[in-house]
Amino acid sequence: KQWYQRRVRVKSRVAVFLYSAQHFAGVVYEDNTLLLHKTYHRYTVRAKQGTVQGERDGKGQAPKSFGASLRRYNQIAMFTDIENLLLSWAETLVELGYIPQNC
């Protein structure tokens, strides 16, 4: 075969991250093979209110109940968990070609 007829097989690595209020999912694929995956769920949204506790606090309506304190704590813990996950996946993420995300 001629040099231009040879196909070079390049590994394709893709990561997908989804985050919405109290849910997070992260996954890394390499050539349709699952390499890494992790999901988190934390109680950060009050039932039937539809907003994250921190967003409600920012409007000057900071309730002082135990539930509100728990939601604030969980919101900070969620971001800490995601940050630690991304740091632990750093070597894999450096080699990515594409990162679709939904926030």
Side-chain angles (χ1 to χ4, degrees), residues 17-74:
F17 299 105
L18 303 170
Y19 173 76
S20 178
Q22 54 192 8
H23 302 282
F24 170 82
V27 65
V28 178
Y29 289 99
E30 184 171 28
D31 291 331
N32 296 329
T33 304
L34 180 66
L35 289 181
L36 302 167
H37 67 92
K38 184 67 180 172
T39 61
Y40 292 113
H41 171 83
R42 295 249 184 195
Y43 171 63
T44 61
V45 177
R46 185 174 176 196
K48 299 184 183 177
Q49 296 298 315
T51 58
V52 177
Q53 186 67 46
E55 185 177 316
R56 186 174 176 92
D57 293 347
K59 295 177 183 175
Q61 304 168 345
K64 298 185 181 2
S65 68
F66 177 74
S69 298
L70 181 62
R71 289 188 292 274
R72 278 187 212 99
Y73 169 81
N74 282 337

Side-chain angles (χ1 to χ4, degrees), residues 1-19:
K1 289 185 176 181
Q2 298 295 326
W3 65 270
Y4 54 85
Q5 292 177 327
R6 289 186 218 142
R7 291 186 181 198
V8 177
R9 182 72 174 134
V10 178
K11 290 191 176 191
S12 173
R13 188 173 286 183
V14 177
V16 179
F17 299 105
L18 303 170
Y19 173 76

